[in-house]
Amino acid sequence: MPDSAPTIVELAADLRALRTRRARATGDGELTVRQIAASTGYALGTVSDYLTGTTLPPTDRFGVLVRLLGATPAEEVRLGRVRDQVEQVLCARREARGRVLRELPPEVFGFAGRERFLAALDGLVDGPRYAVVSGPSGVGRTAAVVRWAHRRGHRFPDGAVYVDLRGRDSEVRPKAPGRRSLLVLDNVRSAEHARPLLAAWPGRAVVITGREFALRDAIHLPVPPLTAAEALDLLTRLTRNRPSVDQDAAAELVDRCARLPLALRLAAEVVATKVETSVQSLVAGLAARQRGVGDVRGVLAWTLSHQPPELVRAFRLVVAGSGRRITPRWLASAGQLDVGRARAQLDALGRAQLLHRAKPGHYGVHELVRACAGEPVRRSSSVAMTS
């Protein structure tokens, strides 16, 4: 590891290197994000942000983390100094930016593939002002665009803003943009849906995700399902704490998930967290339903069948309340719970990939999960598959 880490990304690489070294020394395999979260008490998403360089850990948390990952006392002192240097750099950059608006959601954990798409989107930096990113539900449009926005954020020094236009609760009032700034509009229904914001963001770079529609002067980039190799790579990353995954079963699961990242994440979360469930047993359970490939509904039903009844009930409430702002306070009211318990249930549903964090304190249901939720939600507690 280098003696200094001038960027948060390099510091995160140091943490991952510690994790790899610990795995080699113990022979137990790398600690998963879930295991680190369980050992430290930190939220799953928070640990992921620390390891990907999205968020800088506070001093006390950083110390706990490096000790857990096997740092020697000398390394702990050195890395602590590096962490402080990174914080100083980040503070200086924030001061230099002044009032620059930079609001992007974190990258998804375990992102795989999409190199051609990311390279194609680079044309937005110096070329057309707009890019329309289309593709079927669950294919990973948002994840790919957010990945690109983080990787190319330095090309937009005057700011980057993410806005989700899904549903009736979309009231968007972006602040005045800078000269070299980026706007990401997610889940846009049509050109008319985005037009007011495009007018408020003249001459700036705009990336739009949604169903395919025409937009003048835009580059149009469809996002296809993952290739078989990319899908297997993603499944391997998400289930790496499970040894000896049968490759034939993994290939069949990839097909049954239609190579959609969202479906693969749902399936992998069950395999990664349920000792009694393997990739082979999941494939056998889906085959027993006598469904063909692309059985996203079956994967969702399987995921729900492995959740505690109180989480299934919370998921049912969230789906029924689609279009509203899903917050702990809302779920507490709808489910007659205290706010702390409601927050814990929403976090648990997020870890199961059934919800996603739209922004701090707010949660959303992916459109593919919502579309496939009808049958599983009605039969949630009675779904039974051999595992």
Side-chain angles (χ1 to χ4, degrees):
M1 292 179 287
D3 292 331
S4 62
T7 70
I8 189 174
V9 172
E10 290 171 338
L11 184 61
D14 284 348
L15 294 177
R16 296 195 300 273
L18 280 177
R19 181 173 65 170
T20 299
R21 189 185 69 182
R22 177 194 176 280
R24 290 173 180 167
T26 62
D28 295 334
E30 288 190 1
L31 288 172
T32 66
V33 171
R34 183 172 298 281
Q35 289 170 329
I36 295 173
S39 297
T40 60
Y42 308 153
L44 196 67
T46 299
V47 173
S48 177
D49 289 348
Y50 292 164
L51 293 177
T52 57
T54 304
T55 303
L56 181 68
T59 302
D60 56 340
R61 289 192 171 195
F62 186 77
V64 171
L65 193 56
V66 295
R67 285 191 294 273
L68 176 65
L69 296 177
T72 65
E75 287 174 330
E76 183 179 348
V77 171
R78 181 177 63 80
L79 288 171
R81 289 173 180 167
V82 173
R83 182 229 162 264
D84 292 344
Q85 292 171 0
V86 171
E87 185 174 39
Q88 291 173 3
V89 171
L90 292 176
C91 288
R93 288 177 179 173
R94 282 195 294 266
E95 291 176 2
R97 291 191 193 111
R99 296 176 60 84
V100 168
L101 191 62
R102 195 168 295 276
E103 299 177 353
L104 293 173
E107 296 185 48
V108 299
F109 174 72
F111 186 92
R114 304 301 193 197
E115 292 305 320
R116 287 187 179 180
F117 168 82
L118 296 173
L121 199 53
D122 282 343
L124 186 68
V125 174
D126 299 311
R129 290 183 297 143
Y130 307 136
V132 177
V133 176
S134 60
S137 297
V139 79
R141 296 182 307 240
T142 302
V145 169
V146 169
R147 170 80 163 188
W148 177 83
H150 278 284
R151 285 175 52 164
R152 294 294 180 262
H154 66 283
R155 303 293 298 271
F156 301 95
D158 297 307
V161 178
Y162 168 91
V163 180
D164 188 347
L165 294 187
R166 180 184 58 82
R168 295 170 297 178
D169 58 346
S170 303
E171 297 179 4
V172 183
R173 295 181 177 86
K175 299 179 181 179
R179 289 172 295 176
R180 290 288 296 165
S181 48
L182 170 68
L183 176 66
V184 177
L185 300 180
D186 199 14
N187 296 311
V188 176
R189 290 189 299 270
S190 63
E192 289 70 27
H193 191 198
R195 206 174 302 282
L197 279 169
L198 298 180
W201 203 269
R204 317 305 179 212
V206 182
V207 182
I208 298 169
T209 78
R211 301 305 175 99
E212 187 173 2
F213 56 83
L215 186 64
R216 186 178 179 182
D217 297 327
I219 57 175
H220 289 74
L221 299 173
V223 180
L226 296 170
T227 65
E230 289 172 339
L232 283 170
D233 181 30
L234 178 60
L235 185 63
T236 300
R237 294 185 188 206
L238 297 176
T239 59
R240 60 186 173 189
N241 62 321
R242 297 297 298 269
S244 63
V245 172
D246 181 86
Q247 291 304 301
D248 290 338
E252 184 173 350
L253 181 58
V254 161
D255 285 340
R256 289 189 176 277
C257 289
R259 290 183 276 123
L260 296 176
L262 177 62
L264 284 166
R265 288 179 181 279
L266 285 169
E269 182 64 20
V270 175
V271 173
T273 58
K274 305 298 180 183
V275 176
E276 72 278 8
T277 303
S278 64
V279 171
Q280 296 94 316
S281 63
L282 176 52
V283 169
L286 293 174
R289 294 168 59 87
Q290 297 182 342
R291 285 256 178 88
V293 299
D295 185 12
V296 180
R297 187 184 297 274
V299 174
L300 177 59
W302 179 281
T303 302
L304 282 172
S305 72
H306 285 74
Q307 303 305 319
E310 63 269 18
L311 289 189
V312 175
R313 178 175 181 270
F315 178 74
R316 186 185 296 121
L317 290 171
V318 168
V319 171
S322 179
R324 301 173 183 171
R325 295 183 184 274
I326 306 302
T327 64
R329 190 173 298 277
W330 176 86
L331 181 59
S333 175
Q336 298 181 341
L337 306 167
D338 64 78
V339 175
R341 184 62 181 164
R343 181 179 294 107
Q345 290 186 358
L346 289 173
D347 286 343
L349 289 171
R351 290 193 296 272
Q353 307 296 322
L354 293 166
L355 300 182
H356 64 86
R357 287 186 297 170
K359 59 182 179 179
H362 290 71
Y363 301 78
V365 186
H366 193 282
E367 59 183 306
L368 181 61
V369 172
R370 187 170 61 248
C372 293
E375 177 187 350
V377 169
R378 287 193 300 269
R379 302 171 52 209
S380 55
S381 60
S382 61
V383 172
M385 296 184 184
T386 303
S387 60

PDB file of all heavy atoms in Angstrom, residues 281-282 284-290 298 300-307 375-376 378-387:
ATOM      1  N   SER A 281     -30.053 -25.091  -5.197  1.00  0.00           N
ATOM      2  CA  SER A 281     -31.403 -25.264  -4.666  1.00  0.00           C
ATOM      3  C   SER A 281     -32.336 -24.164  -5.159  1.00  0.00           C
ATOM      4  O   SER A 281     -33.532 -24.394  -5.371  1.00  0.00           O
ATOM      5  CB  SER A 281     -31.366 -25.282  -3.136  1.00  0.00           C
ATOM      6  OG  SER A 281     -30.892 -24.059  -2.609  1.00  0.00           O
ATOM      7  N   LEU A 282     -31.798 -22.954  -5.360  1.00  0.00           N
ATOM      8  CA  LEU A 282     -32.628 -21.883  -5.889  1.00  0.00           C
ATOM      9  C   LEU A 282     -33.068 -22.199  -7.316  1.00  0.00           C
ATOM     10  O   LEU A 282     -34.240 -22.036  -7.673  1.00  0.00           O
ATOM     11  CB  LEU A 282     -31.850 -20.562  -5.841  1.00  0.00           C
ATOM     12  CG  LEU A 282     -32.528 -19.331  -6.445  1.00  0.00           C
ATOM     13  CD1 LEU A 282     -33.919 -19.133  -5.880  1.00  0.00           C
ATOM     14  CD2 LEU A 282     -31.677 -18.086  -6.207  1.00  0.00           C
ATOM     15  N   ALA A 284     -33.335 -25.168  -8.612  1.00  0.00           N
ATOM     16  CA  ALA A 284     -34.289 -26.284  -8.538  1.00  0.00           C
ATOM     17  C   ALA A 284     -35.666 -25.788  -8.129  1.00  0.00           C
ATOM     18  O   ALA A 284     -36.693 -26.246  -8.655  1.00  0.00           O
ATOM     19  CB  ALA A 284     -33.775 -27.333  -7.548  1.00  0.00           C
ATOM     20  N   GLY A 285     -35.717 -24.850  -7.186  1.00  0.00           N
ATOM     21  CA  GLY A 285     -37.001 -24.315  -6.755  1.00  0.00           C
ATOM     22  C   GLY A 285     -37.707 -23.551  -7.852  1.00  0.00           C
ATOM     23  O   GLY A 285     -38.920 -23.673  -8.038  1.00  0.00           O
ATOM     24  N   LEU A 286     -36.951 -22.779  -8.625  1.00  0.00           N
ATOM     25  CA  LEU A 286     -37.549 -22.050  -9.744  1.00  0.00           C
ATOM     26  C   LEU A 286     -38.006 -23.012 -10.837  1.00  0.00           C
ATOM     27  O   LEU A 286     -39.065 -22.823 -11.443  1.00  0.00           O
ATOM     28  CB  LEU A 286     -36.538 -21.050 -10.309  1.00  0.00           C
ATOM     29  CG  LEU A 286     -36.149 -19.894  -9.388  1.00  0.00           C
ATOM     30  CD1 LEU A 286     -35.024 -19.069 -10.007  1.00  0.00           C
ATOM     31  CD2 LEU A 286     -37.349 -18.999  -9.101  1.00  0.00           C
ATOM     32  N   ALA A 287     -37.227 -24.065 -11.088  1.00  0.00           N
ATOM     33  CA  ALA A 287     -37.612 -25.046 -12.106  1.00  0.00           C
ATOM     34  C   ALA A 287     -38.879 -25.781 -11.695  1.00  0.00           C
ATOM     35  O   ALA A 287     -39.710 -26.142 -12.538  1.00  0.00           O
ATOM     36  CB  ALA A 287     -36.477 -26.042 -12.333  1.00  0.00           C
ATOM     37  N   ALA A 288     -39.063 -25.989 -10.388  1.00  0.00           N
ATOM     38  CA  ALA A 288     -40.248 -26.698  -9.899  1.00  0.00           C
ATOM     39  C   ALA A 288     -41.523 -25.911 -10.162  1.00  0.00           C
ATOM     40  O   ALA A 288     -42.616 -26.479 -10.201  1.00  0.00           O
ATOM     41  CB  ALA A 288     -40.112 -26.978  -8.402  1.00  0.00           C
ATOM     42  N   ARG A 289     -41.384 -24.608 -10.365  1.00  0.00           N
ATOM     43  CA  ARG A 289     -42.564 -23.782 -10.682  1.00  0.00           C
ATOM     44  C   ARG A 289     -42.979 -23.921 -12.144  1.00  0.00           C
ATOM     45  O   ARG A 289     -43.977 -23.352 -12.580  1.00  0.00           O
ATOM     46  CB  ARG A 289     -42.260 -22.314 -10.387  1.00  0.00           C
ATOM     47  CG  ARG A 289     -42.043 -22.018  -8.916  1.00  0.00           C
ATOM     48  CD  ARG A 289     -41.455 -20.624  -8.719  1.00  0.00           C
ATOM     49  NE  ARG A 289     -42.302 -19.584  -9.266  1.00  0.00           N
ATOM     50  CZ  ARG A 289     -43.290 -18.999  -8.600  1.00  0.00           C
ATOM     51  NH1 ARG A 289     -43.545 -19.372  -7.357  1.00  0.00           N
ATOM     52  NH2 ARG A 289     -44.017 -18.052  -9.148  1.00  0.00           N
ATOM     53  N   GLN A 290     -42.149 -24.675 -12.916  1.00  0.00           N
ATOM     54  CA  GLN A 290     -42.444 -24.939 -14.326  1.00  0.00           C
ATOM     55  C   GLN A 290     -42.562 -23.638 -15.105  1.00  0.00           C
ATOM     56  O   GLN A 290     -43.414 -23.472 -15.965  1.00  0.00           O
ATOM     57  CB  GLN A 290     -43.715 -25.780 -14.481  1.00  0.00           C
ATOM     58  CG  GLN A 290     -43.576 -27.157 -13.847  1.00  0.00           C
ATOM     59  CD  GLN A 290     -44.815 -28.003 -14.048  1.00  0.00           C
ATOM     60  OE1 GLN A 290     -45.874 -27.500 -14.359  1.00  0.00           O
ATOM     61  NE2 GLN A 290     -44.659 -29.296 -13.875  1.00  0.00           N
ATOM     62  N   GLY A 298     -40.688 -15.281 -10.219  1.00  0.00           N
ATOM     63  CA  GLY A 298     -40.335 -16.413  -9.369  1.00  0.00           C
ATOM     64  C   GLY A 298     -39.199 -16.078  -8.420  1.00  0.00           C
ATOM     65  O   GLY A 298     -39.207 -16.479  -7.252  1.00  0.00           O
ATOM     66  N   LEU A 300     -38.521 -13.112  -7.248  1.00  0.00           N
ATOM     67  CA  LEU A 300     -39.084 -12.230  -6.225  1.00  0.00           C
ATOM     68  C   LEU A 300     -39.876 -13.030  -5.197  1.00  0.00           C
ATOM     69  O   LEU A 300     -39.781 -12.786  -3.980  1.00  0.00           O
ATOM     70  CB  LEU A 300     -39.978 -11.175  -6.880  1.00  0.00           C
ATOM     71  CG  LEU A 300     -40.698 -10.213  -5.922  1.00  0.00           C
ATOM     72  CD1 LEU A 300     -39.692  -9.442  -5.082  1.00  0.00           C
ATOM     73  CD2 LEU A 300     -41.591  -9.255  -6.704  1.00  0.00           C
ATOM     74  N   ALA A 301     -40.665 -14.000  -5.678  1.00  0.00           N
ATOM     75  CA  ALA A 301     -41.432 -14.834  -4.755  1.00  0.00           C
ATOM     76  C   ALA A 301     -40.510 -15.608  -3.821  1.00  0.00           C
ATOM     77  O   ALA A 301     -40.771 -15.729  -2.620  1.00  0.00           O
ATOM     78  CB  ALA A 301     -42.324 -15.804  -5.546  1.00  0.00           C
ATOM     79  N   TRP A 302     -39.420 -16.114  -4.373  1.00  0.00           N
ATOM     80  CA  TRP A 302     -38.449 -16.852  -3.552  1.00  0.00           C
ATOM     81  C   TRP A 302     -37.864 -15.927  -2.488  1.00  0.00           C
ATOM     82  O   TRP A 302     -37.736 -16.284  -1.319  1.00  0.00           O
ATOM     83  CB  TRP A 302     -37.355 -17.408  -4.457  1.00  0.00           C
ATOM     84  CG  TRP A 302     -36.295 -18.171  -3.719  1.00  0.00           C
ATOM     85  CD1 TRP A 302     -35.257 -17.654  -3.003  1.00  0.00           C
ATOM     86  CD2 TRP A 302     -36.186 -19.594  -3.616  1.00  0.00           C
ATOM     87  NE1 TRP A 302     -34.499 -18.655  -2.469  1.00  0.00           N
ATOM     88  CE2 TRP A 302     -35.040 -19.855  -2.834  1.00  0.00           C
ATOM     89  CE3 TRP A 302     -36.914 -20.662  -4.110  1.00  0.00           C
ATOM     90  CZ2 TRP A 302     -34.627 -21.152  -2.539  1.00  0.00           C
ATOM     91  CZ3 TRP A 302     -36.490 -21.943  -3.819  1.00  0.00           C
ATOM     92  CH2 TRP A 302     -35.375 -22.186  -3.040  1.00  0.00           C
ATOM     93  N   THR A 303     -37.479 -14.719  -2.904  1.00  0.00           N
ATOM     94  CA  THR A 303     -36.901 -13.760  -1.963  1.00  0.00           C
ATOM     95  C   THR A 303     -37.869 -13.457  -0.825  1.00  0.00           C
ATOM     96  O   THR A 303     -37.499 -13.461   0.352  1.00  0.00           O
ATOM     97  CB  THR A 303     -36.537 -12.459  -2.695  1.00  0.00           C
ATOM     98  OG1 THR A 303     -35.627 -12.747  -3.761  1.00  0.00           O
ATOM     99  CG2 THR A 303     -35.885 -11.464  -1.743  1.00  0.00           C
ATOM    100  N   LEU A 304     -39.124 -13.224  -1.163  1.00  0.00           N
ATOM    101  CA  LEU A 304     -40.121 -12.917  -0.132  1.00  0.00           C
ATOM    102  C   LEU A 304     -40.369 -14.103   0.784  1.00  0.00           C
ATOM    103  O   LEU A 304     -40.607 -13.936   1.985  1.00  0.00           O
ATOM    104  CB  LEU A 304     -41.438 -12.491  -0.793  1.00  0.00           C
ATOM    105  CG  LEU A 304     -41.479 -11.050  -1.317  1.00  0.00           C
ATOM    106  CD1 LEU A 304     -42.753 -10.821  -2.112  1.00  0.00           C
ATOM    107  CD2 LEU A 304     -41.386 -10.046  -0.179  1.00  0.00           C
ATOM    108  N   SER A 305     -40.302 -15.319   0.229  1.00  0.00           N
ATOM    109  CA  SER A 305     -40.569 -16.507   1.046  1.00  0.00           C
ATOM    110  C   SER A 305     -39.504 -16.707   2.109  1.00  0.00           C
ATOM    111  O   SER A 305     -39.716 -17.463   3.061  1.00  0.00           O
ATOM    112  CB  SER A 305     -40.664 -17.754   0.155  1.00  0.00           C
ATOM    113  OG  SER A 305     -39.390 -18.132  -0.332  1.00  0.00           O
ATOM    114  N   HIS A 306     -38.358 -16.041   1.966  1.00  0.00           N
ATOM    115  CA  HIS A 306     -37.277 -16.187   2.927  1.00  0.00           C
ATOM    116  C   HIS A 306     -37.179 -14.987   3.869  1.00  0.00           C
ATOM    117  O   HIS A 306     -36.190 -14.851   4.588  1.00  0.00           O
ATOM    118  CB  HIS A 306     -35.937 -16.390   2.202  1.00  0.00           C
ATOM    119  CG  HIS A 306     -35.780 -17.771   1.627  1.00  0.00           C
ATOM    120  ND1 HIS A 306     -36.458 -18.178   0.500  1.00  0.00           N
ATOM    121  CD2 HIS A 306     -35.046 -18.833   2.026  1.00  0.00           C
ATOM    122  CE1 HIS A 306     -36.129 -19.432   0.223  1.00  0.00           C
ATOM    123  NE2 HIS A 306     -35.273 -19.847   1.133  1.00  0.00           N
ATOM    124  N   GLN A 307     -38.183 -14.122   3.855  1.00  0.00           N
ATOM    125  CA  GLN A 307     -38.182 -12.973   4.757  1.00  0.00           C
ATOM    126  C   GLN A 307     -39.108 -13.225   5.946  1.00  0.00           C
ATOM    127  O   GLN A 307     -40.126 -13.917   5.813  1.00  0.00           O
ATOM    128  CB  GLN A 307     -38.639 -11.710   4.017  1.00  0.00           C
ATOM    129  CG  GLN A 307     -37.823 -11.365   2.786  1.00  0.00           C
ATOM    130  CD  GLN A 307     -36.349 -11.238   3.078  1.00  0.00           C
ATOM    131  OE1 GLN A 307     -35.943 -10.676   4.091  1.00  0.00           O
ATOM    132  NE2 GLN A 307     -35.528 -11.784   2.178  1.00  0.00           N
ATOM    133  N   GLU A 375     -48.463 -11.062  -7.581  1.00  0.00           N
ATOM    134  CA  GLU A 375     -48.641 -12.444  -7.123  1.00  0.00           C
ATOM    135  C   GLU A 375     -47.879 -12.728  -5.840  1.00  0.00           C
ATOM    136  O   GLU A 375     -48.451 -13.224  -4.878  1.00  0.00           O
ATOM    137  CB  GLU A 375     -48.215 -13.423  -8.211  1.00  0.00           C
ATOM    138  CG  GLU A 375     -48.300 -14.869  -7.767  1.00  0.00           C
ATOM    139  CD  GLU A 375     -47.704 -15.810  -8.798  1.00  0.00           C
ATOM    140  OE1 GLU A 375     -47.402 -15.353  -9.913  1.00  0.00           O
ATOM    141  OE2 GLU A 375     -47.533 -16.997  -8.475  1.00  0.00           O
ATOM    142  N   PRO A 376     -46.550 -12.372  -5.751  1.00  0.00           N
ATOM    143  CA  PRO A 376     -45.842 -12.678  -4.518  1.00  0.00           C
ATOM    144  C   PRO A 376     -46.408 -11.983  -3.302  1.00  0.00           C
ATOM    145  O   PRO A 376     -46.444 -12.539  -2.222  1.00  0.00           O
ATOM    146  CB  PRO A 376     -44.410 -12.199  -4.822  1.00  0.00           C
ATOM    147  CG  PRO A 376     -44.306 -12.242  -6.300  1.00  0.00           C
ATOM    148  CD  PRO A 376     -45.671 -11.893  -6.798  1.00  0.00           C
ATOM    149  N   ARG A 378     -49.528 -11.094  -2.727  1.00  0.00           N
ATOM    150  CA  ARG A 378     -50.774 -11.730  -2.302  1.00  0.00           C
ATOM    151  C   ARG A 378     -50.521 -13.063  -1.624  1.00  0.00           C
ATOM    152  O   ARG A 378     -51.238 -13.471  -0.714  1.00  0.00           O
ATOM    153  CB  ARG A 378     -51.685 -11.945  -3.524  1.00  0.00           C
ATOM    154  CG  ARG A 378     -52.320 -10.674  -4.054  1.00  0.00           C
ATOM    155  CD  ARG A 378     -53.428 -11.003  -5.035  1.00  0.00           C
ATOM    156  NE  ARG A 378     -52.958 -11.753  -6.185  1.00  0.00           N
ATOM    157  CZ  ARG A 378     -52.549 -11.180  -7.308  1.00  0.00           C
ATOM    158  NH1 ARG A 378     -52.517  -9.874  -7.423  1.00  0.00           N
ATOM    159  NH2 ARG A 378     -52.144 -11.925  -8.317  1.00  0.00           N
ATOM    160  N   ARG A 379     -49.449 -13.768  -2.063  1.00  0.00           N
ATOM    161  CA  ARG A 379     -49.199 -15.103  -1.545  1.00  0.00           C
ATOM    162  C   ARG A 379     -47.987 -15.129  -0.633  1.00  0.00           C
ATOM    163  O   ARG A 379     -47.463 -16.192  -0.334  1.00  0.00           O
ATOM    164  CB  ARG A 379     -48.941 -16.062  -2.716  1.00  0.00           C
ATOM    165  CG  ARG A 379     -50.070 -16.121  -3.715  1.00  0.00           C
ATOM    166  CD  ARG A 379     -49.642 -16.909  -4.939  1.00  0.00           C
ATOM    167  NE  ARG A 379     -49.087 -18.207  -4.551  1.00  0.00           N
ATOM    168  CZ  ARG A 379     -48.166 -18.844  -5.268  1.00  0.00           C
ATOM    169  NH1 ARG A 379     -47.673 -18.303  -6.351  1.00  0.00           N
ATOM    170  NH2 ARG A 379     -47.729 -20.022  -4.863  1.00  0.00           N
ATOM    171  N   SER A 380     -47.539 -13.929  -0.199  1.00  0.00           N
ATOM    172  CA  SER A 380     -46.223 -13.785   0.421  1.00  0.00           C
ATOM    173  C   SER A 380     -45.939 -14.804   1.504  1.00  0.00           C
ATOM    174  O   SER A 380     -44.921 -15.468   1.492  1.00  0.00           O
ATOM    175  CB  SER A 380     -46.071 -12.372   0.991  1.00  0.00           C
ATOM    176  OG  SER A 380     -47.155 -12.098   1.880  1.00  0.00           O
ATOM    177  N   SER A 381     -46.811 -14.920   2.482  1.00  0.00           N
ATOM    178  CA  SER A 381     -46.504 -15.796   3.614  1.00  0.00           C
ATOM    179  C   SER A 381     -46.754 -17.257   3.303  1.00  0.00           C
ATOM    180  O   SER A 381     -46.352 -18.135   4.053  1.00  0.00           O
ATOM    181  CB  SER A 381     -47.325 -15.378   4.839  1.00  0.00           C
ATOM    182  OG  SER A 381     -48.704 -15.462   4.539  1.00  0.00           O
ATOM    183  N   SER A 382     -47.436 -17.515   2.190  1.00  0.00           N
ATOM    184  CA  SER A 382     -47.752 -18.910   1.886  1.00  0.00           C
ATOM    185  C   SER A 382     -46.850 -19.494   0.802  1.00  0.00           C
ATOM    186  O   SER A 382     -46.953 -20.663   0.475  1.00  0.00           O
ATOM    187  CB  SER A 382     -49.213 -19.023   1.415  1.00  0.00           C
ATOM    188  OG  SER A 382     -49.409 -18.268   0.228  1.00  0.00           O
ATOM    189  N   VAL A 383     -45.958 -18.657   0.228  1.00  0.00           N
ATOM    190  CA  VAL A 383     -45.062 -19.176  -0.804  1.00  0.00           C
ATOM    191  C   VAL A 383     -44.135 -20.208  -0.186  1.00  0.00           C
ATOM    192  O   VAL A 383     -43.492 -19.955   0.814  1.00  0.00           O
ATOM    193  CB  VAL A 383     -44.235 -18.028  -1.426  1.00  0.00           C
ATOM    194  CG1 VAL A 383     -43.170 -18.610  -2.345  1.00  0.00           C
ATOM    195  CG2 VAL A 383     -45.126 -17.088  -2.188  1.00  0.00           C
ATOM    196  N   ALA A 384     -44.068 -21.367  -0.746  1.00  0.00           N
ATOM    197  CA  ALA A 384     -43.204 -22.418  -0.182  1.00  0.00           C
ATOM    198  C   ALA A 384     -42.441 -23.072  -1.329  1.00  0.00           C
ATOM    199  O   ALA A 384     -43.026 -23.547  -2.273  1.00  0.00           O
ATOM    200  CB  ALA A 384     -44.038 -23.470   0.544  1.00  0.00           C
ATOM    201  N   MET A 385     -41.123 -23.046  -1.198  1.00  0.00           N
ATOM    202  CA  MET A 385     -40.289 -23.719  -2.182  1.00  0.00           C
ATOM    203  C   MET A 385     -39.283 -24.563  -1.430  1.00  0.00           C
ATOM    204  O   MET A 385     -38.869 -24.236  -0.335  1.00  0.00           O
ATOM    205  CB  MET A 385     -39.550 -22.697  -3.047  1.00  0.00           C
ATOM    206  CG  MET A 385     -40.452 -21.811  -3.907  1.00  0.00           C
ATOM    207  SD  MET A 385     -39.464 -20.740  -4.953  1.00  0.00           S
ATOM    208  CE  MET A 385     -40.754 -19.777  -5.722  1.00  0.00           C
ATOM    209  N   THR A 386     -38.863 -25.616  -2.052  1.00  0.00           N
ATOM    210  CA  THR A 386     -37.862 -26.467  -1.414  1.00  0.00           C
ATOM    211  C   THR A 386     -36.513 -25.783  -1.500  1.00  0.00           C
ATOM    212  O   THR A 386     -36.071 -25.416  -2.562  1.00  0.00           O
ATOM    213  CB  THR A 386     -37.795 -27.825  -2.135  1.00  0.00           C
ATOM    214  OG1 THR A 386     -39.067 -28.418  -2.114  1.00  0.00           O
ATOM    215  CG2 THR A 386     -36.771 -28.723  -1.447  1.00  0.00           C
ATOM    216  N   SER A 387     -35.850 -25.589  -0.369  1.00  0.00           N
ATOM    217  CA  SER A 387     -34.565 -24.905  -0.344  1.00  0.00           C
ATOM    218  C   SER A 387     -33.478 -25.731   0.215  1.00  0.00           C
ATOM    219  O   SER A 387     -33.199 -26.780   0.126  1.00  0.00           O
ATOM    220  CB  SER A 387     -34.636 -23.639   0.490  1.00  0.00           C
ATOM    221  OG  SER A 387     -35.006 -23.939   1.810  1.00  0.00           O
TER     222      SER A 387
END
